Amino acid sequence: MESSNVTLLAADGKLGGFAGCNSYVRAYEISGNQLSFHAINSTLMTCVDGQIMQQERHYFDALQSAGTFEVKDNHLAITYDNGKGVLIFEKVVTTGG
């Protein structure tokens, strides 16, 4: 299965990024180590590659069913689907100039 890089940027109670085909933004709330997301807003592009489109749908579903999160070193882990899965993000620092 083909895949693409999914990005997640968080600031001021909102997160966004690129999900494979579309850019997205959604609000989130944190209570202890529990994470919950509000409805997603995304662009409505259709992927030429059906596998990438399916990856994006799975990613959005995973965020919608998010449970707990943990930040360790340069990684963010978000459990989803009642702990059956985990999304892992690596912090990437970019420099302007």
Side-chain angles (χ1 to χ4, degrees):
M1 178 174 162
E2 291 292 321
S3 64
S4 67
N5 289 326
V6 173
T7 62
L8 181 137
L9 306 165
D12 300 324
K14 292 184 182 175
L15 65 81
F18 181 70
C21 296
N22 292 285
S23 297
Y24 68 96
V25 65
R26 68 186 335 167
Y28 68 91
E29 292 181 18
I30 294 175
S31 177
N33 73 335
Q34 295 290 313
L35 182 63
S36 61
F37 293 99
H38 298 279
I40 191 165
N41 293 316
S42 72
T43 55
L44 300 173
M45 304 295 291
T46 300
C47 288
V48 174
D49 185 327
Q51 291 178 336
I52 301 293
M53 191 76 201
Q54 183 179 18
Q55 172 191 287
E56 181 175 278
R57 279 192 299 269
H58 287 302
Y59 175 65
F60 287 154
D61 289 346
L63 288 181
Q64 194 60 40
S65 67
T68 61
F69 76 96
E70 178 182 32
V71 177
K72 187 174 182 181
D73 299 322
N74 287 329
H75 294 88
L76 166 66
I78 300 172
T79 62
Y80 65 92
D81 196 18
N82 293 316
K84 294 178 185 170
V86 62
L87 297 170
I88 299 175
F89 297 91
E90 182 178 4
K91 182 178 182 179
V92 176
V93 178
T94 60
T95 57

